[in-house]
Amino acid sequence: MNDNVVIGDEQQVRRRSLLAAAGALGLTGSAVALTRGEPARAAAGVTKKITIYAEALPGGLIGYGLTRGGATVPGPVLEMYEGDTLEITLVNTTTQRLSIHPHGVDYSTDSDGSPFNDSFNQPGETRTYVWRSHEMTAAAGRRFMPGSAGYWHYHDHALGTEHGTGGLAKGLYGALIVRRRGDLLPDKQFTVVFNDMLVNNKSAPDTPMFQADLGQRVEWIAIGHGNLFHTFHLHAHRWADNRTGMLEGPSDPSQVIDNKDLNPGSSFGFQVLAGEAVGPGAWMYHCHVQMHSDTGMAGIFLVRNADGSMPAGAQEAIDRFHGHQHAAAAAQAHAHGGTR
Ligand SMILES: [Cu+2]
C-alpha cells in the first residue's frame, strides 16, 4: 500500500510539473495559443453538470439515459466544446456494478470508470465523473498539442468484467462529441454502433431507420464495439476522412470516402447534406464485411423530399428491405405472395 502511495505521489508531481511546463509554453513568447487573445484553457471553459441514469431495459439490455425511465441504446449524444468540463452524476439503478468511461477527453484516475482504479458505481450507487477537455495549442517548431475536438464515445467499463465486457454487450454505450468553437452544428444526429453482429444491439430488419429531409445537415457518429472487425458504408453519400467529414478548402488533402473501418473501440463522425447530388430516396447503410451485412448488419437512411413527404419508390424499397433481409422474413413474404 505504502509503495502505491509513493508511486502515486511521484506521478502526481510529474504530472504537475508537466502541466506547469505546458502552462509556461502557452504563456511565453516562444509558444502561443492558437486562439490569440482568448483566456487560457482553465479560464475559457464552462462546467456543465448532467445526471445520467443507468437502467435495465426490456430484452436484457441496459442503457444510459438523461432522465429516470429514459434510458436508450445507444445512450444520449453527449456534447461539449473544447475547454469545457462535463460533470456527470451517474445513477446506477441496476443490481450490477457499472461505470461510465469516456474516450478522447481528459480525466483523473477516479473518473476513469475502471474497477482497476476503484472507479465505478456499486449497485444502486450514485457517483460523479468529471471529463475535461482542452483547446489546441501551438508551440515552436510547428509542433501542435492536439485539442480534444473529435467524434468520441463513452461506455461502461465495469459490468461483467474489469473491462465492462458485459455492459458493452448489453448496450451501455453512446456518442461523445467534443466540438471546436466555430464548428457547424447539424440539424440531425444519428449514432450507429456496430457491436459484434448487431447495429445498436439490433439486427435487420429491426435496425434503426434514420430519417432526414432533403438538404438537412446530418451528423453521423459511428462507433465500434465487441470482438469483430467491421467497415461502415453509407450509400450515395461521401465524406472527407478528417475531423469533421468536410473539406476545409480546395487544397484539403483529406481523402473523400464512403466506407471506413469501424473496429472495436474506434469511432468517427462526419456531416453530410442529406441527398446532396443524389436526391431523396431510401439509402442503405451497412457493414461491408459481406457475411456481416448478409446476417443483419444493415439499415436504411431515408432521405425524404424537402417538404418531408415520402419520395417515389421509397416505401417499396423499405418493404423490400423488410421482406428479404432474413431468411425467415423472406419465407413469410413468399407465403404472402412473393417479394418482388
Ligand atoms: Cu461487420
Side-chain angles (χ1 to χ4, degrees), residues 194 196-197 228-231 287-289 292-293 297:
F194 284 0
D196 277 331
M197 293 294 279
L228 302 171
F229 293 84
H230 305 288
T231 55
C287 180
H288 222 301
V289 178
H292 292 184
S293 47
M297 294 193 75

Side-chain angles (χ1 to χ4, degrees), residues 204-205 284 293-299 320-330:
M284 205 184 269
S293 47
D294 284 344
T295 324
M297 294 193 75
R320 246 173 258 130
F321 174 79
H322 281 257
H324 74 195
Q325 275 293 321
H326 274 328

Side-chain angles (χ1 to χ4, degrees), residues 39-255:
R41 166 191 159 186
V46 298
T47 297
K48 208 161 71 171
K49 296 184 183 195
I50 59 171
T51 301
I52 293 183
Y53 300 86
E55 300 176 322
L57 294 167
L61 297 178
I62 304 179
Y64 296 113
L66 292 172
T67 55
R68 220 174 254 283
T72 52
V73 176
V77 178
L78 303 182
E79 296 187 49
M80 61 202 291
Y81 277 100
E82 281 185 332
D84 288 356
T85 295
L86 203 54
E87 207 177 286
I88 295 164
T89 300
L90 177 64
V91 182
N92 180 6
T93 71
T94 78
T95 56
Q96 288 166 281
R97 77 169 191 190
L98 50 77
S99 72
I100 190 164
H101 163 79
H103 284 227
V105 291
D106 308 326
Y107 47 86
S108 52
T109 50
D110 59 354
S111 288
D112 184 34
S114 68
F116 159 76
N117 270 320
D118 202 24
S119 173
F120 62 92
N121 295 52
Q122 293 286 5
E125 192 189 359
T126 295
R127 183 189 175 95
T128 298
Y129 299 79
V130 179
W131 301 349
R132 305 183 309 273
S133 64
H134 60 266
E135 295 180 337
M136 187 189 294
T137 49
R142 297 181 65 182
R143 194 169 57 81
F144 293 89
M145 165 72 172
S148 305
Y151 288 102
W152 304 104
H153 62 107
Y154 63 89
H155 61 87
D156 168 61
H157 209 300
L159 202 158
T161 73
E162 297 293 299
H163 301 273
T165 305
L168 282 166
K170 288 168 184 288
L172 282 171
Y173 51 70
L176 167 64
I177 303 174
V178 183
R179 298 193 193 278
R180 193 163 292 168
R181 282 174 176 75
D183 280 353
L184 291 172
L185 300 178
D187 299 312
K188 297 215 152 181
Q189 292 175 304
F190 306 138
T191 305
V192 183
V193 182
F194 284 0
N195 189 13
D196 277 331
M197 293 294 279
L198 302 171
V199 178
N200 296 4
N201 274 58
K202 292 198 161 95
S203 191
D206 300 322
T207 46
M209 180 167 78
F210 300 112
Q211 303 191 40
D213 297 339
L214 182 69
Q216 279 191 311
R217 178 173 290 279
V218 171
E219 182 169 65
W220 293 76
I221 309 108
I223 301 164
H225 279 307
N227 301 293
L228 302 171
F229 293 84
H230 305 288
T231 55
F232 174 83
H233 174 49
L234 175 60
H235 282 209
H237 297 75
R238 57 221 72 74
W239 64 93
D241 192 12
N242 59 21
R243 182 177 69 82
T244 62
M246 291 175 283
L247 292 177
E248 294 186 352
S251 303
D252 188 326
S254 306
Q255 187 188 359

Side-chain angles (χ1 to χ4, degrees), residues 1-15:
M1 273 309 270
N2 280 341
D3 283 345
N4 286 343
V5 170
V6 170
I7 289 166
D9 284 345
E10 279 174 2
Q11 284 175 339
Q12 275 200 331
V13 169
R14 266 190 230 118
R15 203 177 303 128

